[in-house]
Amino acid sequence: MLNNQPYATIPNVKRLRISAALLLIALLIVVIGAITLQVTANGIYQDPLNLHEVDYIQSATCQSCHPSHYATWHDTYHRTMTQEASEMAVVGDFDNASNTFQGVTSRFYKEDEMFLIATRGFDGLMTEYEVVMTIGSRRIQQYVYEATDGSHWRIPMAWNIEEQRWFNLNAGFLHPDESDFNTHLSIWDANCIFCHNTQAMPGYDWNQNTFDASVAEMGIACESCHGPAQQHVRVNSNPLRRYWLYLTDPEQLRDPTLITPTELSQTQSVQVCGHCHGQRIPDPPSGIREMMAVGDPYRVGDDLADHYAPIKIDSELQGVDLTKRFWKDGTPRLTAYEYQGWQMSAHEETGLTCISCHNMHGGDSKGMIDEEMRGNLGCTQCHEEIAQDVSAHTQHELDSSGSDCYSCHMPKTSYGVLEIHPSHRITSPDPSRAWTYEMPEACTMCHTDQSVLWAAQETEKLFGIEAGKLPDDEVWKSAENTRALLMGDVVQRSVAAMAFSEVGTYTSDPNGRLWAAPFLILTMERDEYPAIRHFAYRSLRTLASDAGHDLSTLPEFDWTGTPTARQTTIDSYWQWWNNLDKSTLKFPNSAVPLNPDFTLNMQVVEPLLAQRNNELVTIGE
């Protein structure tokens, strides 16, 4: 009703006037909206791009607009890389647990809400430390206390999450038995803070020699990869701006207030990861003063080379032998050098980046990688012609480890804390690396019962790559993996010990691999490095289990225990091996120094042990 008249009785002219008025109003709304959106769009281009002038805001702020990305990040071990000590964060056994190492019995317990560790202090006396922070949550968790001067220190006792036990970090950082108990009682503010947090600010006073450390956010958070986000949050509080960005082709318009690694150049994208996964030193060296006093100068999207030089085999750092962190051909042999591996991989022209294989917001949180990328797709997504006929390329059966891209081109030759990881330098198999550079080579890491001389000849036969002049020293006639286990340096021995238990070796028959057991038991008995004894023990139990042998009745081997305690346990493993029915075992190639009854040929083994290389390798974490 209008003026007490039914709408239908209003003259047509009046109805038309009303309709025209409504249409005009709608047009005005559209025009005003378009102008507003255009102003908003123009404003996007005027936003500041210098992220060095933008503050950090922490990841919780990102959740409301980016719930799915926040959730996938929250599930990662990046988030929990550094945490304040709490019931949720601490995974070690603090229920009045203890561990004895080098005659020092450390205790781990709680009082009220405090997590406490009583262990040997700087002065050699037992000292009680309150844990204020944790480092790591996947395989190893380390603990930090705050000193009276406000500085933070890493305690040398750590928790092995996978094995559910305490251990001294000497055993994880490749130090031999006789190393000082407190070798790894180290300052957090000048070391761990940089790669285990978002935007480290050590706050070092060069005059007072004191720290006042802080971080933008503990752990590896959203802004570690996307840059400081205060400006991004501020301007996107305008919903019109958000809608315009959503409706616009990202090829034509992107939000410059935040960095997305997929939109960076190849090198800049890799540097986002390489900033931490590539140990570095300030360049120029004088930059250390600003780095320690003010904080990390790098922001996502920068050229990392403007601030740092990646540590390489020829880098110099006063008081530290950096050469041991690399194989003699310059290939990194420790983790946290993946960036350097990529730099050496001759893939700069291919577009290959970290996120070609890794997925920061999906996949397995343990490797931040989708399951399909753990197979050949990681390579064949680019090498399509090889994917058409993999066997023709590899000269191996399609379903064998010889046709696994990673086994040949990224073999596991990099040492991490109590683990061996794939190399991130992409190479082609070359047996001569073994004698030229004293490093593992892919062929004999799979064919563990063959020598590198055999591998060189096979490579020439299969691929036409000339073997060149072969070494004439007798040691190279032995199976390379046993030679490296017995006489290699500490990283070679670690790699060799773990290679024995890899399922993807020259035979899928577990009884065809168990011949390595006496070499692993000997390593448990004779090696001076706890880490290598640990690898040997792990491999032994894996081999035995795969072959259907239950070792649960044998005592657990404490690879950090006293020599007497270790020997008692080892004797039981020798007894097991000597009494084992070996009728189902397969004898290896003659290059393995093994007698027909599966006992060690000590005439070959002892000379190899006598040439063992025990040079110290400083990991630098």
Side-chain angles (χ1 to χ4, degrees):
M1 300 287 288
L2 185 62
N3 295 328
N4 297 318
Q5 295 184 27
Y7 180 75
T9 66
I10 298 175
N12 289 338
V13 173
K14 289 185 177 181
R15 291 205 305 270
L16 288 172
R17 287 175 180 172
I18 293 172
S19 298
L22 292 173
L23 179 61
L24 180 60
I25 292 171
L27 287 172
L28 285 172
I29 292 174
V30 170
V31 170
I32 292 171
I35 293 172
T36 303
L37 285 173
Q38 186 59 50
V39 171
T40 300
N42 291 337
I44 292 175
Y45 293 101
Q46 298 167 10
D47 286 333
L49 301 179
N50 185 1
L51 294 183
H52 288 264
E53 298 176 357
V54 180
D55 290 334
Y56 290 80
I57 46 86
Q58 298 205 348
S59 301
T61 312
C62 308
Q63 184 177 12
S64 59
C65 291
H66 306 281
S68 62
H69 284 84
Y70 178 87
T72 52
W73 162 77
H74 195 271
D75 287 341
T76 68
Y77 293 103
H78 268 167
R79 177 183 66 84
T80 53
M81 182 56 71
T82 304
Q83 302 176 90
E84 292 183 352
S86 68
E87 288 286 351
M88 289 291 291
V90 174
V91 298
D93 181 5
F94 280 82
D95 188 15
N96 293 316
S98 65
N99 174 273
T100 300
F101 178 71
Q102 293 186 351
V104 177
T105 298
S106 302
R107 295 192 303 112
F108 312 88
Y109 52 98
K110 287 183 62 178
E111 287 184 4
D112 299 325
E113 300 300 315
M114 297 184 297
F115 295 87
L116 302 170
I117 298 178
T119 189
R120 176 181 285 175
F122 277 117
D123 55 8
L125 302 177
M126 294 300 290
T127 304
E128 182 182 76
Y129 299 112
E130 178 188 354
V131 175
V132 297
M133 285 187 291
T134 66
I135 306 172
S137 64
R138 177 188 167 188
R139 297 187 303 105
I140 306 294
Q141 187 166 79
Q142 302 173 53
Y143 300 95
V144 177
Y145 76 92
E146 183 175 348
T148 54
D149 64 356
S151 60
H152 301 87
W153 294 79
R154 178 181 63 185
I155 301 168
M157 299 300 298
W159 178 253
N160 186 322
I161 298 170
E162 295 176 332
E163 298 183 9
Q164 294 289 289
R165 59 156 292 169
W166 290 99
F167 72 101
N168 185 281
L169 284 171
N170 286 353
F173 287 105
L174 289 182
H175 275 68
D177 289 324
E178 66 273 11
S179 300
D180 184 87
F181 183 93
N182 278 326
T183 296
H184 295 285
L185 175 55
S186 58
I187 189 157
W188 179 89
D189 306 270
N191 189 0
C192 317
I193 188 174
F194 284 103
C195 282
H196 293 171
N197 298 281
T198 300
Q199 186 50 32
M201 295 167 282
Y204 183 63
D205 186 323
W206 287 87
N207 295 318
Q208 300 298 320
N209 189 27
T210 57
F211 287 92
D212 184 17
S214 63
V215 298
E217 185 170 357
M218 284 187 171
I220 311 304
C222 302
E223 293 165 291
S224 292
C225 300
H226 297 286
Q230 185 187 60
Q231 178 74 349
H232 175 75
V233 171
R234 184 185 68 79
V235 297
N236 282 297
S237 62
N238 176 0
L240 290 176
R241 186 180 196 277
R242 296 200 304 272
Y243 298 148
W244 182 263
L245 287 168
Y246 286 141
L247 295 170
T248 305
D249 182 355
E251 294 292 328
Q252 304 298 321
L253 178 66
R254 60 170 300 278
D255 187 348
T257 63
L258 207 66
I259 297 295
T260 300
T262 55
E263 297 174 352
L264 294 173
S265 70
Q266 179 193 26
T267 297
Q268 287 177 312
S269 176
V270 174
Q271 287 176 343
V272 173
C273 304
H275 175 231
C276 288
H277 292 275
Q279 287 208 1
R280 63 205 187 281
I281 51 179
D283 188 22
S286 59
I288 189 69
R289 296 192 69 86
E290 178 185 0
M291 176 181 168
M292 295 299 294
V294 179
D296 186 353
Y298 172 79
R299 297 293 184 278
V300 174
D302 286 354
D303 184 345
L304 190 63
D306 289 342
H307 308 292
Y308 298 104
I311 294 175
K312 297 185 177 180
I313 193 170
D314 57 356
S315 298
E316 295 183 359
L317 188 61
Q318 186 176 1
V320 181
D321 182 2
L322 297 173
T323 63
K324 299 296 188 297
R325 301 183 184 188
F326 302 84
W327 299 110
K328 292 185 178 180
D329 71 340
T331 302
R333 60 178 185 164
L334 303 177
T335 55
Y337 288 82
E338 290 77 15
Y339 177 56
Q340 287 89 325
W342 173 83
Q343 287 183 311
M344 299 180 71
S345 293
H347 273 65
E348 292 86 349
E349 305 301 322
T350 68
L352 177 72
T353 68
C354 305
I355 49 182
S356 296
C357 299
H358 294 278
N359 184 352
M360 301 301 101
H361 290 286
D364 180 3
S365 60
K366 290 185 176 179
M368 307 191 85
I369 187 169
D370 292 310
E371 189 61 33
E372 60 184 4
M373 288 298 174
R374 292 189 182 278
N376 284 352
L377 184 61
C379 299
T380 58
Q381 62 178 318
C382 293
H383 296 278
E384 296 178 354
E385 72 288 353
I386 293 176
Q388 301 303 313
D389 191 348
V390 173
S391 292
H393 172 72
T394 65
Q395 300 297 303
H396 286 72
E397 293 294 327
L398 180 60
D399 59 352
S400 71
S401 57
S403 286
D404 173 58
C405 301
Y406 293 124
S407 294
C408 294
H409 299 288
M410 296 176 64
K412 293 182 178 180
T413 61
S414 296
Y415 180 87
V417 181
L418 296 179
E419 192 55 88
I420 306 297
H421 300 273
S423 170
H424 276 62
R425 180 185 180 185
I426 303 171
T427 59
S428 294
D430 180 1
S432 71
R433 288 194 182 97
W435 65 80
T436 305
Y437 300 115
E438 298 180 42
M439 62 184 293
E441 61 85 28
C443 299
T444 51
M445 288 181 65
C446 176
H447 295 276
T448 53
D449 68 337
Q450 296 283 4
S451 71
V452 288
L453 304 181
W454 170 87
Q457 292 163 351
E458 285 294 303
T459 301
E460 182 172 346
K461 181 171 67 176
L462 294 176
F463 304 105
I465 301 173
E466 292 188 11
K469 187 179 185 305
L470 301 177
D472 51 15
D473 193 313
E474 284 292 314
V475 300
W476 300 108
K477 294 180 180 179
S478 292
E480 176 59 13
N481 214 58
T482 56
R483 185 205 67 80
L485 180 68
L486 297 172
M487 69 170 286
D489 73 11
V490 61
V491 183
Q492 282 180 289
R493 304 203 302 273
S494 298
V495 170
M498 288 303 290
F500 276 126
S501 62
E502 286 290 327
V503 174
T505 56
Y506 68 100
T507 175
S508 59
D509 181 2
N511 283 310
R513 301 195 304 271
L514 193 55
W515 58 263
F519 293 97
L520 296 170
I521 299 173
L522 182 71
T523 300
M524 291 160 56
E525 184 175 45
R526 301 276 292 270
D527 207 292
E528 301 93 333
Y529 282 75
I532 300 173
R533 297 195 295 264
H534 164 267
F535 287 130
Y537 180 54
R538 271 177 60 184
S539 277
L540 174 65
R541 295 191 73 90
T542 299
L543 284 174
S545 176
D546 289 348
H549 299 287
D550 182 10
L551 300 186
S552 62
T553 58
L554 298 179
E556 284 285 332
F557 176 64
D558 183 359
W559 34 278
T560 65
T562 65
T564 301
R566 295 200 311 265
Q567 190 61 55
T568 299
T569 303
I570 289 167
D571 288 343
S572 66
Y573 282 88
W574 278 127
Q575 183 178 12
W576 164 78
W577 177 251
N578 292 332
N579 294 336
L580 182 70
D581 178 8
K582 302 179 181 63
S583 59
T584 60
L585 303 189
K586 294 183 179 179
F587 202 81
N589 183 271
S590 60
V592 177
L594 205 60
N595 295 319
D597 61 353
F598 286 92
T599 59
L600 298 175
N601 181 350
M602 298 307 291
Q603 289 185 324
V604 176
V605 168
E606 286 291 0
L608 294 176
L609 288 171
Q611 298 178 67
R612 173 174 290 172
N613 180 350
N614 274 328
E615 286 183 307
L616 187 65
V617 176
T618 304
I619 290 181
E621 283 196 32

Coordinates of all heavy atoms in Angstrom, one line a residue, residues 34-49 231-232 234-236 238 240-242 244-245 248 253-258:
A34 N 33.4 1.3 -7.6 CA 34.5 1.2 -8.6 C 35.6 2.1 -8.3 O 36.8 1.8 -8.4 CB 34.0 1.3 -10.0
I35 N 35.2 3.4 -8.0 CA 36.2 4.4 -7.7 C 37.0 4.1 -6.5 O 38.2 4.2 -6.4 CB 35.5 5.8 -7.5 CG1 34.9 6.3 -8.9 CG2 36.5 6.8 -7.0 CD1 34.1 7.6 -8.7
T36 N 36.2 3.6 -5.5 CA 36.9 3.2 -4.2 C 37.9 2.0 -4.5 O 39.0 2.0 -4.0 CB 35.9 2.7 -3.2 OG1 34.9 3.8 -2.9 CG2 36.5 2.4 -1.9
L37 N 37.5 1.0 -5.2 CA 38.3 -0.1 -5.5 C 39.5 0.4 -6.3 O 40.7 -0.1 -6.1 CB 37.6 -1.2 -6.3 CG 36.6 -2.0 -5.5 CD1 35.8 -2.9 -6.4 CD2 37.4 -2.9 -4.5
Q38 N 39.3 1.4 -7.3 CA 40.4 1.8 -8.1 C 41.4 2.6 -7.2 O 42.6 2.4 -7.4 CB 39.9 2.8 -9.2 CG 41.0 3.2 -10.2 CD 41.7 2.0 -10.9 OE1 41.0 1.1 -11.4 NE2 43.0 1.9 -10.8
V39 N 40.9 3.4 -6.3 CA 41.8 4.1 -5.4 C 42.6 3.1 -4.5 O 43.8 3.2 -4.3 CB 41.0 5.0 -4.5 CG1 41.8 5.6 -3.3 CG2 40.4 6.2 -5.3
T40 N 41.8 2.0 -4.1 CA 42.5 1.0 -3.3 C 43.6 0.3 -4.2 O 44.7 0.1 -3.7 CB 41.4 -0.1 -2.9 OG1 40.5 0.5 -2.1 CG2 42.1 -1.2 -2.1
A41 N 43.3 0.0 -5.4 CA 44.2 -0.6 -6.3 C 45.5 0.3 -6.5 O 46.6 -0.2 -6.4 CB 43.6 -0.9 -7.7
N42 N 45.2 1.6 -6.7 CA 46.3 2.5 -6.9 C 47.2 2.6 -5.6 O 48.4 2.7 -5.7 CB 45.8 3.9 -7.2 CG 45.2 4.0 -8.6 OD1 45.5 3.2 -9.5 ND2 44.3 5.0 -8.8
G43 N 46.5 2.4 -4.5 CA 47.2 2.5 -3.2 C 48.1 1.3 -3.0 O 49.1 1.4 -2.3
I44 N 47.8 0.2 -3.6 CA 48.6 -1.0 -3.5 C 50.0 -0.8 -4.1 O 51.0 -1.2 -3.5 CB 47.9 -2.2 -4.2 CG1 46.7 -2.6 -3.5 CG2 48.9 -3.4 -4.3 CD1 45.9 -3.7 -4.2
Y45 N 50.0 0.0 -5.2 CA 51.3 0.2 -5.8 C 52.2 1.2 -5.0 O 53.4 1.3 -5.2 CB 51.1 0.8 -7.2 CG 50.5 -0.2 -8.2 CD1 49.1 -0.2 -8.5 CD2 51.2 -1.2 -8.8 CE1 48.5 -1.1 -9.3 CE2 50.7 -2.2 -9.6 CZ 49.3 -2.1 -9.9 OH 48.8 -3.0 -10.8
Q46 N 51.5 2.0 -4.1 CA 52.2 3.0 -3.4 C 52.7 2.4 -2.0 O 53.3 3.2 -1.3 CB 51.3 4.2 -3.2 CG 50.9 4.8 -4.5 CD 49.8 5.8 -4.3 OE1 49.4 6.2 -3.2 NE2 49.2 6.3 -5.4
D47 N 52.4 1.2 -1.7 CA 52.8 0.6 -0.4 C 54.3 0.6 -0.3 O 55.0 0.3 -1.3 CB 52.2 -0.8 -0.2 CG 50.8 -0.7 0.1 OD1 50.3 0.3 0.7 OD2 50.1 -1.7 -0.2
P48 N 54.9 0.8 0.8 CA 56.4 0.7 0.9 C 56.9 -0.7 0.7 O 56.2 -1.7 1.1 CB 56.7 1.2 2.4 CG 55.4 1.0 3.1 CD 54.3 1.2 2.1
L49 N 58.0 -0.9 0.0 CA 58.5 -2.2 -0.3 C 59.8 -2.5 0.6 O 60.3 -3.7 0.5 CB 58.9 -2.3 -1.8 CG 57.7 -2.0 -2.7 CD1 58.2 -2.1 -4.2 CD2 56.6 -3.0 -2.5
Q231 N 53.2 -4.1 8.2 CA 52.6 -3.3 7.2 C 51.5 -4.1 6.4 O 50.5 -3.6 6.1 CB 53.7 -2.8 6.2 CG 53.1 -2.0 5.0 CD 52.7 -0.6 5.5 OE1 52.6 -0.3 6.7 NE2 52.5 0.3 4.5
H232 N 51.8 -5.3 6.2 CA 50.8 -6.2 5.5 C 49.5 -6.3 6.3 O 48.4 -6.2 5.7 CB 51.5 -7.6 5.3 CG 50.5 -8.6 4.8 ND1 50.2 -8.6 3.4 CD2 49.9 -9.7 5.3 CE1 49.4 -9.7 3.2 NE2 49.2 -10.3 4.3
R234 N 48.5 -4.2 8.5 CA 47.8 -2.8 8.6 C 47.0 -2.5 7.4 O 45.8 -2.2 7.5 CB 48.9 -1.7 8.9 CG 48.3 -0.4 9.1 CD 49.4 0.7 9.2 NE 50.0 0.9 7.9 CZ 49.5 1.6 6.9 NH1 48.3 2.2 7.0 NH2 50.2 1.7 5.8
V235 N 47.6 -2.6 6.2 CA 46.9 -2.2 5.0 C 45.8 -3.2 4.6 O 44.8 -2.8 4.0 CB 47.9 -2.0 3.8 CG1 48.9 -0.9 4.1 CG2 48.6 -3.3 3.5
N236 N 45.9 -4.4 5.0 CA 44.9 -5.4 4.7 C 43.8 -5.5 5.7 O 42.9 -6.3 5.6 CB 45.5 -6.8 4.5 CG 46.2 -6.9 3.1 OD1 45.6 -6.8 2.1 ND2 47.5 -7.1 3.1
N238 N 41.8 -3.2 5.6 CA 40.8 -2.7 4.7 C 40.3 -3.8 3.9 O 41.0 -4.4 3.0 CB 41.5 -1.6 3.8 CG 40.5 -1.1 2.8 OD1 39.3 -1.5 2.7 ND2 41.0 -0.1 2.0
L240 N 38.2 -3.9 1.4 CA 38.2 -3.6 0.0 C 39.5 -4.0 -0.7 O 39.6 -4.5 -1.8 CB 37.9 -2.1 -0.3 CG 36.4 -1.7 0.0 CD1 36.3 -0.2 -0.2 CD2 35.4 -2.5 -0.8
R241 N 40.6 -3.7 0.0 CA 41.9 -4.0 -0.5 C 42.1 -5.5 -0.6 O 42.6 -6.0 -1.7 CB 43.0 -3.5 0.4 CG 44.4 -3.6 -0.1 CD 45.4 -3.1 0.9 NE 46.7 -2.9 0.3 CZ 47.7 -3.8 0.2 NH1 47.4 -5.0 0.5 NH2 48.8 -3.5 -0.4
R242 N 41.6 -6.3 0.3 CA 41.7 -7.7 0.3 C 40.9 -8.3 -0.9 O 41.4 -9.1 -1.6 CB 41.2 -8.3 1.6 CG 42.1 -8.0 2.8 CD 41.9 -9.0 3.9 NE 40.5 -9.1 4.3 CZ 39.9 -8.3 5.3 NH1 40.6 -7.3 5.8 NH2 38.7 -8.5 5.6
W244 N 40.0 -6.7 -3.6 CA 40.6 -6.4 -4.9 C 41.7 -7.3 -5.2 O 41.9 -7.8 -6.4 CB 41.1 -4.9 -4.9 CG 41.7 -4.5 -6.2 CD1 43.0 -4.5 -6.5 CD2 41.0 -4.0 -7.3 NE1 43.2 -4.0 -7.8 CE2 41.9 -3.7 -8.3 CE3 39.6 -3.8 -7.6 CZ2 41.6 -3.2 -9.6 CZ3 39.3 -3.3 -8.8 CH2 40.2 -3.0 -9.8
L245 N 42.5 -7.7 -4.2 CA 43.7 -8.6 -4.5 C 43.2 -10.0 -4.8 O 43.7 -10.7 -5.7 CB 44.6 -8.7 -3.2 CG 45.4 -7.4 -3.0 CD1 46.0 -7.5 -1.6 CD2 46.5 -7.3 -4.0
T248 N 41.9 -10.0 -8.5 CA 42.9 -9.6 -9.5 C 43.8 -10.7 -9.8 O 44.2 -11.5 -9.0 CB 43.7 -8.4 -9.0 OG1 42.8 -7.4 -8.7 CG2 44.6 -7.9 -10.2
L253 N 48.9 -8.3 -10.6 CA 49.0 -7.5 -9.4 C 49.2 -8.4 -8.2 O 48.5 -9.4 -8.0 CB 47.6 -6.7 -9.1 CG 47.5 -5.9 -7.9 CD1 48.5 -4.8 -7.9 CD2 46.1 -5.4 -7.7
R254 N 50.2 -8.1 -7.4 CA 50.5 -8.9 -6.2 C 50.7 -7.9 -5.1 O 50.9 -6.7 -5.3 CB 51.8 -9.7 -6.4 CG 53.1 -8.9 -6.6 CD 54.3 -9.8 -6.5 NE 54.4 -10.4 -5.2 CZ 54.9 -9.7 -4.2 NH1 55.4 -8.5 -4.3 NH2 55.0 -10.3 -3.0
D255 N 50.6 -8.5 -3.9 CA 50.7 -7.6 -2.7 C 52.2 -7.5 -2.3 O 52.8 -8.4 -1.9 CB 49.9 -8.3 -1.5 CG 49.8 -7.4 -0.3 OD1 50.6 -6.4 -0.2 OD2 49.0 -7.8 0.6
P256 N 52.7 -6.3 -2.5 CA 54.1 -6.1 -2.2 C 54.5 -5.9 -0.7 O 55.7 -5.7 -0.4 CB 54.5 -4.8 -3.0 CG 53.2 -4.0 -2.9 CD 52.1 -5.0 -3.0
T257 N 53.5 -6.0 0.1 CA 53.8 -5.9 1.6 C 54.3 -7.1 2.2 O 54.6 -7.2 3.4 CB 52.5 -5.4 2.3 OG1 51.5 -6.3 2.2 CG2 52.0 -4.0 1.8
L258 N 54.3 -8.2 1.4 CA 54.7 -9.5 1.9 C 55.4 -10.3 0.8 O 55.1 -10.1 -0.4 CB 53.5 -10.3 2.5 CG 53.8 -11.3 3.6 CD1 54.3 -10.6 4.8 CD2 52.6 -12.2 3.9

